[in-house]
Short mmCIF file of all heavy atoms in Angstrom, two decimals:
data_model
loop_
_atom_site.label_atom_id
_atom_site.label_comp_id
_atom_site.label_asym_id
_atom_site.label_seq_id
_atom_site.Cartn_x
_atom_site.Cartn_y
_atom_site.Cartn_z
N GLU I 1 0.82 -1.17 -0.05
CA GLU I 1 0.03 0.01 -0.01
C GLU I 1 0.91 1.29 0.04
O GLU I 1 0.31 2.39 -0.08
CB GLU I 1 -0.97 0.06 1.22
CG GLU I 1 -2.10 -0.92 1.14
CD GLU I 1 -3.07 -0.62 0.00
OE1 GLU I 1 -3.55 0.48 -0.09
OE2 GLU I 1 -3.26 -1.49 -0.85
N THR I 2 2.16 1.09 0.09
CA THR I 2 3.02 2.31 0.06
C THR I 2 4.05 2.31 -1.07
O THR I 2 4.79 3.28 -1.27
CB THR I 2 3.85 2.38 1.45
OG1 THR I 2 4.71 1.18 1.48
CG2 THR I 2 2.91 2.36 2.63
N THR I 3 4.28 1.15 -1.69
CA THR I 3 5.18 1.06 -2.85
C THR I 3 4.63 0.44 -4.05
O THR I 3 3.53 -0.24 -4.02
CB THR I 3 6.34 0.19 -2.45
OG1 THR I 3 5.86 -1.21 -2.14
CG2 THR I 3 7.08 0.73 -1.26
N GLY I 4 5.14 0.66 -5.25
CA GLY I 4 4.73 0.18 -6.53
C GLY I 4 3.39 0.78 -6.98
O GLY I 4 2.81 1.62 -6.20
N GLY I 5 3.06 0.48 -8.22
CA GLY I 5 1.74 1.00 -8.79
C GLY I 5 1.75 2.52 -8.75
O GLY I 5 2.78 3.24 -9.16
N SER I 6 0.67 3.16 -8.44
CA SER I 6 0.51 4.58 -8.42
C SER I 6 1.14 5.05 -7.08
O SER I 6 0.45 5.34 -6.11
CB SER I 6 -0.91 5.04 -8.51
OG SER I 6 -1.02 6.43 -8.35
N SER I 7 2.46 5.31 -7.15
CA SER I 7 3.13 5.66 -5.89
C SER I 7 2.71 7.05 -5.35
O SER I 7 2.67 7.26 -4.15
CB SER I 7 4.75 5.65 -6.06
OG SER I 7 5.03 6.55 -7.19
N VAL I 8 2.28 8.00 -6.23
CA VAL I 8 1.86 9.24 -5.72
C VAL I 8 0.61 9.12 -4.95
O VAL I 8 0.48 9.63 -3.84
CB VAL I 8 1.55 10.10 -6.94
CG1 VAL I 8 0.97 11.51 -6.44
CG2 VAL I 8 2.90 10.51 -7.77
N ARG I 9 -0.41 8.31 -5.44
CA ARG I 9 -1.57 8.04 -4.68
C ARG I 9 -1.43 7.32 -3.39
O ARG I 9 -1.98 7.64 -2.41
CB ARG I 9 -2.58 7.24 -5.60
CG ARG I 9 -3.83 6.83 -4.90
CD ARG I 9 -4.76 5.99 -5.76
NE ARG I 9 -4.25 4.84 -6.37
CZ ARG I 9 -4.11 3.59 -5.74
NH1 ARG I 9 -4.74 3.54 -4.51
NH2 ARG I 9 -3.64 2.59 -6.31
N LYS I 10 -0.43 6.30 -3.43
CA LYS I 10 -0.16 5.63 -2.18
C LYS I 10 0.55 6.46 -1.14
O LYS I 10 0.29 6.39 0.08
CB LYS I 10 0.68 4.34 -2.56
CG LYS I 10 -0.10 3.37 -3.30
CD LYS I 10 0.71 2.18 -3.63
CE LYS I 10 -0.18 1.11 -4.34
NZ LYS I 10 0.63 -0.15 -4.71
N GLN I 11 1.43 7.42 -1.54
CA GLN I 11 2.07 8.26 -0.59
C GLN I 11 1.18 9.26 -0.10
O GLN I 11 1.25 9.77 1.05
CB GLN I 11 3.34 8.95 -1.31
CG GLN I 11 4.49 8.08 -1.54
CD GLN I 11 4.99 7.30 -0.28
OE1 GLN I 11 5.15 7.96 0.73
NE2 GLN I 11 5.11 6.06 -0.41
N GLU I 12 0.09 9.56 -0.86
CA GLU I 12 -0.90 10.60 -0.39
C GLU I 12 -1.56 10.00 0.85
O GLU I 12 -1.86 10.74 1.80
CB GLU I 12 -1.98 10.83 -1.42
CG GLU I 12 -3.11 11.76 -1.08
CD GLU I 12 -4.16 12.00 -2.02
OE1 GLU I 12 -4.01 11.31 -3.19
OE2 GLU I 12 -5.20 12.66 -1.78
N LEU I 13 -1.96 8.65 0.84
CA LEU I 13 -2.58 8.12 2.06
C LEU I 13 -1.68 8.08 3.15
O LEU I 13 -2.13 8.39 4.39
CB LEU I 13 -2.97 6.63 1.66
CG LEU I 13 -3.74 5.95 2.81
CD1 LEU I 13 -4.98 5.12 2.28
CD2 LEU I 13 -2.79 4.99 3.69
N VAL I 14 -0.32 7.73 3.02
CA VAL I 14 0.53 7.78 4.11
C VAL I 14 0.72 9.20 4.73
O VAL I 14 0.71 9.37 5.91
CB VAL I 14 1.97 7.30 3.66
CG1 VAL I 14 3.06 7.43 4.83
CG2 VAL I 14 1.93 5.80 3.31
N LYS I 15 0.80 10.14 3.80
CA LYS I 15 0.95 11.58 4.26
C LYS I 15 -0.32 12.03 5.03
O LYS I 15 -0.11 12.80 6.04
CB LYS I 15 1.18 12.46 3.13
CG LYS I 15 2.59 12.32 2.49
CD LYS I 15 2.72 13.15 1.27
CE LYS I 15 4.10 13.04 0.63
NZ LYS I 15 4.32 13.82 -0.61
N GLU I 16 -1.45 11.62 4.58
CA GLU I 16 -2.73 11.90 5.34
C GLU I 16 -2.68 11.34 6.78
O GLU I 16 -3.07 11.99 7.74
CB GLU I 16 -3.87 11.51 4.50
CG GLU I 16 -4.26 12.37 3.36
CD GLU I 16 -4.74 13.75 3.81
OE1 GLU I 16 -5.39 13.93 4.86
OE2 GLU I 16 -4.39 14.79 3.08
N LEU I 17 -2.27 10.07 6.84
CA LEU I 17 -2.12 9.44 8.16
C LEU I 17 -1.20 10.22 9.05
O LEU I 17 -1.47 10.40 10.22
CB LEU I 17 -1.74 8.00 8.02
CG LEU I 17 -2.69 7.01 7.36
CD1 LEU I 17 -2.06 5.70 7.07
CD2 LEU I 17 -3.97 6.91 8.17
N GLN I 18 -0.10 10.70 8.54
CA GLN I 18 0.81 11.44 9.21
C GLN I 18 0.33 12.75 9.77
O GLN I 18 0.50 13.20 10.92
CB GLN I 18 2.16 11.66 8.50
CG GLN I 18 2.98 10.22 8.17
CD GLN I 18 4.11 10.46 7.24
OE1 GLN I 18 4.08 11.41 6.39
NE2 GLN I 18 5.10 9.60 7.27
N ARG I 19 -0.44 13.40 8.88
CA ARG I 19 -1.08 14.67 9.17
C ARG I 19 -2.07 14.49 10.31
O ARG I 19 -2.24 15.39 11.17
CB ARG I 19 -1.78 15.25 8.04
CG ARG I 19 -0.85 15.82 6.87
CD ARG I 19 -1.65 16.58 5.90
NE ARG I 19 -0.92 16.89 4.70
CZ ARG I 19 -0.94 16.26 3.62
NH1 ARG I 19 -1.91 15.34 3.40
NH2 ARG I 19 -0.25 16.55 2.51
N ASN I 20 -2.70 13.29 10.29
CA ASN I 20 -3.71 13.04 11.30
C ASN I 20 -3.16 12.50 12.63
O ASN I 20 -3.85 12.09 13.53
CB ASN I 20 -4.79 12.05 10.78
CG ASN I 20 -5.57 12.66 9.59
OD1 ASN I 20 -5.61 13.82 9.46
ND2 ASN I 20 -6.12 11.70 8.83
N SER I 21 -1.79 12.44 12.69
CA SER I 21 -1.06 11.93 13.82
C SER I 21 -1.44 10.53 14.24
O SER I 21 -1.58 10.18 15.36
CB SER I 21 -1.37 12.86 15.13
OG SER I 21 -0.92 14.21 14.81
N VAL I 22 -1.63 9.60 13.24
CA VAL I 22 -1.87 8.31 13.40
C VAL I 22 -0.65 7.46 13.58
O VAL I 22 0.23 7.55 12.70
CB VAL I 22 -2.77 7.72 12.31
CG1 VAL I 22 -2.96 6.17 12.43
CG2 VAL I 22 -4.15 8.29 12.14
N THR I 23 -0.56 6.69 14.66
CA THR I 23 0.60 5.85 14.82
C THR I 23 0.41 4.59 13.92
O THR I 23 -0.51 3.78 14.10
CB THR I 23 0.74 5.38 16.33
OG1 THR I 23 0.88 6.47 17.14
CG2 THR I 23 1.91 4.49 16.50
N PHE I 24 1.33 4.38 12.96
CA PHE I 24 1.15 3.34 12.07
C PHE I 24 2.52 2.70 11.78
O PHE I 24 3.54 3.34 11.97
CB PHE I 24 0.45 3.74 10.74
CG PHE I 24 1.21 4.62 9.94
CD1 PHE I 24 2.09 4.13 8.82
CD2 PHE I 24 1.11 6.01 9.96
CE1 PHE I 24 2.76 4.99 8.05
CE2 PHE I 24 1.80 6.87 9.15
CZ PHE I 24 2.62 6.38 8.26
N ASP I 25 2.42 1.40 11.27
CA ASP I 25 3.75 0.73 10.98
C ASP I 25 3.55 0.01 9.66
O ASP I 25 2.60 -0.64 9.43
CB ASP I 25 3.98 -0.41 12.17
CG ASP I 25 5.27 -1.17 11.89
OD1 ASP I 25 6.26 -0.40 11.65
OD2 ASP I 25 5.21 -2.35 12.10
N VAL I 26 4.48 0.20 8.82
CA VAL I 26 4.48 -0.46 7.51
C VAL I 26 5.17 -1.75 7.56
O VAL I 26 6.29 -1.84 7.93
CB VAL I 26 5.09 0.42 6.40
CG1 VAL I 26 5.12 -0.26 5.03
CG2 VAL I 26 4.36 1.80 6.30
N ARG I 27 4.50 -2.85 7.14
CA ARG I 27 5.04 -4.20 7.21
C ARG I 27 4.40 -5.03 6.13
O ARG I 27 3.25 -4.72 5.54
CB ARG I 27 4.84 -4.81 8.62
CG ARG I 27 3.44 -5.02 8.93
CD ARG I 27 3.32 -5.62 10.37
NE ARG I 27 3.68 -4.73 11.47
CZ ARG I 27 3.64 -5.08 12.82
NH1 ARG I 27 3.19 -6.33 13.06
NH2 ARG I 27 3.98 -4.26 13.69
N LYS I 28 4.94 -6.25 5.92
CA LYS I 28 4.37 -7.18 4.97
C LYS I 28 3.14 -7.90 5.60
O LYS I 28 3.40 -8.67 6.71
CB LYS I 28 5.42 -8.25 4.49
CG LYS I 28 4.82 -9.33 3.68
CD LYS I 28 4.25 -8.88 2.29
CE LYS I 28 3.71 -10.06 1.53
NZ LYS I 28 2.96 -9.51 0.29
#
């Protein structure tokens, strides 16, 4: 959900989570 494909769209989701101060962890 953070790499490959439409990377711009996927990074948008990650940036929104960061803006919302959500504690998250990227893993397989």
